[in-house]
């Protein structure tokens, strides 16, 4: 199985305070199942870039914003049992009585870096989506993927592509 040097793919989603937002990431330059070329994602790193320095949250409430990276377009967030999920994670925020942000934490629930060999992708587009539980702020969510291109047999590449559609 031939491998390339690793490279980075970057994408972002601008999201508002109330709706699920999603953008596609074109992988057509790297993935060609008929030509036996597939993409291996080794690592996914994310940045939550709030329109505010620290998001304003409602007093005595917990809030969360979540992201997903999938091989299929989605209308909302899906769980880790969905076969299209490559990576997902959450930003948690908690507020005190006066409404000031008391704690913030981020975690990747599922990520290609958790697997021995990353995550193999055989489709020409993947999707990054973001949503939040309550209207906190408008934001830009960014993801940086460390990837390599590999060659599989025609039948293996096609089977992978079909399984991810």
């Amino acid at each position: 199985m031939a491998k390339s040097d690793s490279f980075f793919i970057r994408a972002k989603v601008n999201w508002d305070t109330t709706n699920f937002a999603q953008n596609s990431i074109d992988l057509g330059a790297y993935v060609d199942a008929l030509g036996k070329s597939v993409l291996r994602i080794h690592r996914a790193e994310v940045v939550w870039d709030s329109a505010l320095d620290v998001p304003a949250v409602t007093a005595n409430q917990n809030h969360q914003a979540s992201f997903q990276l999938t091989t299929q377009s989605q209308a909302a967030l899906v769980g880790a049992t969905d076969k299209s999920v490559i990576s997902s994670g959450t930003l948690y925020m908690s507020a005190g009585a006066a409404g000031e942000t008391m704690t913030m934490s981020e975690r990747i629930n599922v990520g290609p870096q958790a697997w021995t060999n990353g995550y193999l992708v055989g489709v020409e587009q993947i999707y990054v989506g973001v949503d939040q539980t309550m209207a906190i702020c408008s934001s830009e969510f960014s993801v940086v993927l460390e990837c390599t291109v590999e060659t599989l047999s025609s039948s293996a590449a096609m089977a992978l592509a079909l399984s991810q559609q």
Side-chain angles (χ1 to χ4, degrees):
M1 183 182 309
K3 277 190 178 181
S4 67
D5 290 334
S6 68
F7 57 93
F8 299 93
I9 296 173
R10 301 165 195 272
K12 71 178 180 177
V13 176
N14 291 315
W15 50 296
D16 64 23
T17 59
T18 57
N19 299 302
F20 175 76
Q22 176 179 269
N23 280 346
S24 62
I25 302 171
D26 183 11
L27 302 179
Y30 314 106
V31 175
D32 180 4
L34 293 174
K36 308 181 216 175
S37 179
V38 296
L39 184 80
R40 186 174 302 275
I41 301 174
H42 299 275
R43 186 166 200 82
E45 294 295 333
V46 302
V47 177
W48 300 93
D49 186 13
S50 172
L52 306 170
D53 288 334
V54 177
V57 294
T58 306
N60 298 313
Q61 296 268 336
N62 296 319
H63 307 280
Q64 72 181 41
S66 299
F67 83 92
Q68 63 190 17
L69 186 64
T70 60
T71 61
Q72 298 174 9
S73 180
Q74 304 294 337
L77 295 172
V78 296
T81 58
D82 187 291
K83 73 174 186 163
S84 72
V85 173
I86 298 169
S87 185
S88 66
T90 304
L91 174 67
Y92 294 99
M93 292 158 277
S94 177
E100 70 278 2
T101 300
M102 301 296 287
T103 60
M104 289 180 81
S105 66
E106 174 188 23
R107 89 175 190 177
I108 301 287
N109 303 322
V110 175
Q113 56 269 27
W115 315 127
T116 302
N117 294 313
Y119 193 93
L120 205 55
V121 176
V123 292
E124 293 185 2
Q125 285 202 78
I126 57 177
Y127 302 86
V128 58
V130 184
D131 206 354
Q132 60 186 329
T133 57
M134 302 181 92
I136 300 167
C137 62
S138 297
S139 264
E140 179 179 286
F141 173 82
S142 302
V143 62
V144 179
L145 307 173
E146 182 182 11
C147 307
T148 54
V149 173
E150 300 181 15
T151 302
L152 295 180
S153 69
S154 306
S155 58
M158 187 55 68
L160 177 65
L162 291 173
S163 73
Q164 292 181 339
Q165 291 182 345

